Amino acid sequence: MDRVYFDWNATAPLRPQASAAVTAALGIPGNPSSVHGEGRAARRVVEAAREQVAGLVGADPALVTFTSGGTEANMLALTPMVETPGEKQPRDRLFVSAIEHPSVRAGGRFSAAATDELPVLPSGVVDLARLAAKLKTSKRPLVSIMLANNETGVVQPISEVAQIVHEAGGILHVDAVQGPGRIAVNIGVLGADLVSLSAHKIGGPKGVGALVRRSADLHLTDPMLKGGGQERGLRAGTENVAGIAGFGAAAKAAAAGLADEPARMRRLRDLVESRLKAASPDIVIFGEGAERLPNTTLFAVPGAKAETVVIAFDLEGVAVSSGAACSSGKVQPSHVLAAMGVDSALAAGAVRISLGWTTSEADIESLIGAWIKLSESLGKGQRGLAA
Ligand code: PLP
């Protein structure tokens, strides 16, 4: 059976350009810190990738720090030890939105007592009035709000957030992991001070990411990994040259794909939603009223259980994801839907479909065919019992 993949927000398949770049880089014997020819060849690969990643978000390449992924980029950013020319004192409070990825909700290197949560509206958009009010409780806030939510795809009004944060003397970190390749991401336009990226969401390899600074005036004075001084002292350890090369190639391809991939994904995603609505009139699509990524749909039908739906899809050869986070084998209710005020019984049925650049209309037909088949059995079995 041919399988169809609808879990691009969890990870995107490797782009061929990234695969080629990884393979080529694996053949380079040198350490990028070495001065000989082999070392310089490895250095050239790392610096070319740095330019490609910087290009994806309109940043200065010198302000891109490679990490082991989005999680590490978030951890590196969320520290009290951020200095600007006007403020050398540590940040006194961290504010994170209630819908952040767990790697942000964990609070980085702030204590739980110094971390505060920002509510979102039922649409899934951060409550800007509450943000402005909460920032008054801090002298030197650090704020972390994601560009686009991995479960709902809801896009946050980051440039407005940046204005509010900066007026309050704050620094803004944006977890932009789900954005590039799907929407235009420019660090200057966003007004974010720090931006986290991850290679595997844009068709690069897993296990590599970056933290990008908007200005050289912002200093992270207590990096997590200290040692050999790599990455301008911000992240010690010999660089993951092959992973970085793949990240660079994926960034270049994602930037080029912006011309047509988002519009294609949006057309197919809208087709998914109209077909789902036709098949299941009682379906709820979360965040539908807000601006969303063009590739994401999070939906539920009342009475269905997400685990059952995901397994049933899998048996039909369709890979989708439950909207709820799965940790230690136990499906937890989604903190994102809870923050949006969604009833927990409905949230327990949330299923995410996320598309990418190779998704075809035939894939959508397979998805909808599988849904019609399994929703009939849900109607007879699980849904009937729950009703
Ligand atoms: N932030 C968001 C919004 C994500 O969706 C993810 C990936 O699931 C991460 C951070 C973590 O990225 P990584 O898997 O590269 O550590």
Side-chain angles (χ1 to χ4, degrees):
M1 175 179 26
D2 280 348
R3 290 190 58 87
V4 283
Y5 187 73
F6 281 102
D7 201 11
W8 293 66
N9 287 13
T11 198
L14 198 63
R15 291 187 189 252
Q17 301 91 324
S19 175
V22 169
T23 308
L26 285 171
I28 301 172
N31 181 320
S33 296
S34 298
V35 294
H36 44 62
E38 290 83 350
R40 293 200 307 279
R43 171 59 53 201
R44 277 196 297 277
V45 168
V46 171
E47 297 315 317
R50 201 185 304 281
E51 285 188 16
Q52 290 166 323
V53 171
L56 181 64
V57 294
D60 177 348
L63 304 178
V64 172
T65 303
F66 287 116
T67 65
S68 66
T71 298
E72 188 191 322
N74 288 340
M75 283 294 297
L76 180 60
L78 301 186
T79 170
M81 308 308 277
V82 188
E83 282 185 15
T84 62
E87 187 53 86
K88 308 283 181 212
Q89 293 295 310
R91 298 281 123 189
D92 61 354
R93 279 194 92 63
L94 172 67
F95 296 87
V96 306
S97 88
I99 56 161
E100 294 301 311
H101 186 265
S103 58
V104 167
R105 289 181 90 215
R109 286 172 285 163
F110 283 83
S111 70
T115 306
D116 214 338
E117 205 168 77
L118 301 164
V120 299
L121 300 167
S123 59
V125 176
V126 167
D127 185 335
L128 297 180
R130 293 285 296 280
L131 165 70
K134 282 224 179 207
L135 291 184
K136 296 204 171 87
T137 62
S138 161
K139 285 201 191 75
R140 293 175 302 280
L142 176 65
V143 178
S144 184
I145 295 182
M146 69 201 326
L147 177 57
N149 185 263
N150 42 304
E151 293 184 23
T152 60
V154 170
V155 176
Q156 299 298 327
I158 295 297
S159 43
E160 284 174 67
V161 168
Q163 207 175 335
I164 295 170
V165 171
H166 292 150
E167 273 166 17
I171 289 173
L172 176 63
H173 166 254
V174 170
D175 174 348
V177 162
Q178 294 288 347
R182 297 166 183 167
I183 52 175
V185 183
N186 180 292
I187 193 166
V189 173
L190 291 177
D193 300 294
L194 293 158
V195 165
S196 295
L197 302 172
S198 174
H200 72 104
K201 309 288 184 179
I202 62 165
K206 299 166 186 68
V208 57
L211 182 66
V212 185
R213 288 178 293 148
R214 183 163 52 96
S215 160
D217 281 347
L218 187 143
H219 297 284
L220 297 165
T221 59
D222 185 28
M224 279 188 306
L225 299 185
K226 303 180 185 75
Q230 288 92 344
E231 295 296 287
R232 297 171 198 251
L234 278 175
R235 205 271 181 180
T238 300
E239 296 85 344
N240 172 6
V241 178
I244 289 169
F247 188 7
K252 185 176 170 206
L258 266 183
D260 58 339
E261 286 172 2
R264 233 189 110 255
M265 289 190 282
R266 186 179 298 281
R267 187 176 62 75
L268 292 175
R269 191 274 311 270
D270 291 351
L271 178 63
V272 169
E273 294 190 350
S274 62
R275 298 289 303 274
L276 286 174
K277 282 178 184 168
S280 309
D282 56 349
I283 202 163
V284 177
I285 295 175
F286 300 107
E288 199 181 5
E291 186 189 338
R292 283 182 298 156
L293 291 176
N295 77 320
T296 308
T297 295
L298 183 71
F299 73 92
V301 288
K305 287 249 179 330
E307 305 94 285
T308 316
V309 176
V310 170
I311 292 167
F313 263 126
D314 192 42
L315 293 174
E316 293 295 321
V318 182
V320 302
S321 146
S322 79
C326 180
S327 64
S328 48
K330 198 168 160 245
V331 176
Q332 309 279 347
S334 158
H335 69 278
V336 176
L337 294 180
M340 289 164 66
V342 174
D343 170 66
S344 60
L346 184 64
V351 171
R352 181 183 67 192
I353 290 168
S354 50
L355 292 62
W357 54 89
T358 64
T359 305
S360 67
E361 226 151 291
D363 294 341
I364 308 289
E365 291 310 319
S366 305
L367 172 86
I368 298 300
W371 172 251
I372 289 171
K373 191 169 161 191
L374 71 94
S375 57
E376 273 166 13
S377 61
L378 281 177
K380 285 193 212 100
Q382 182 196 344
R383 270 225 282 167
L385 287 177

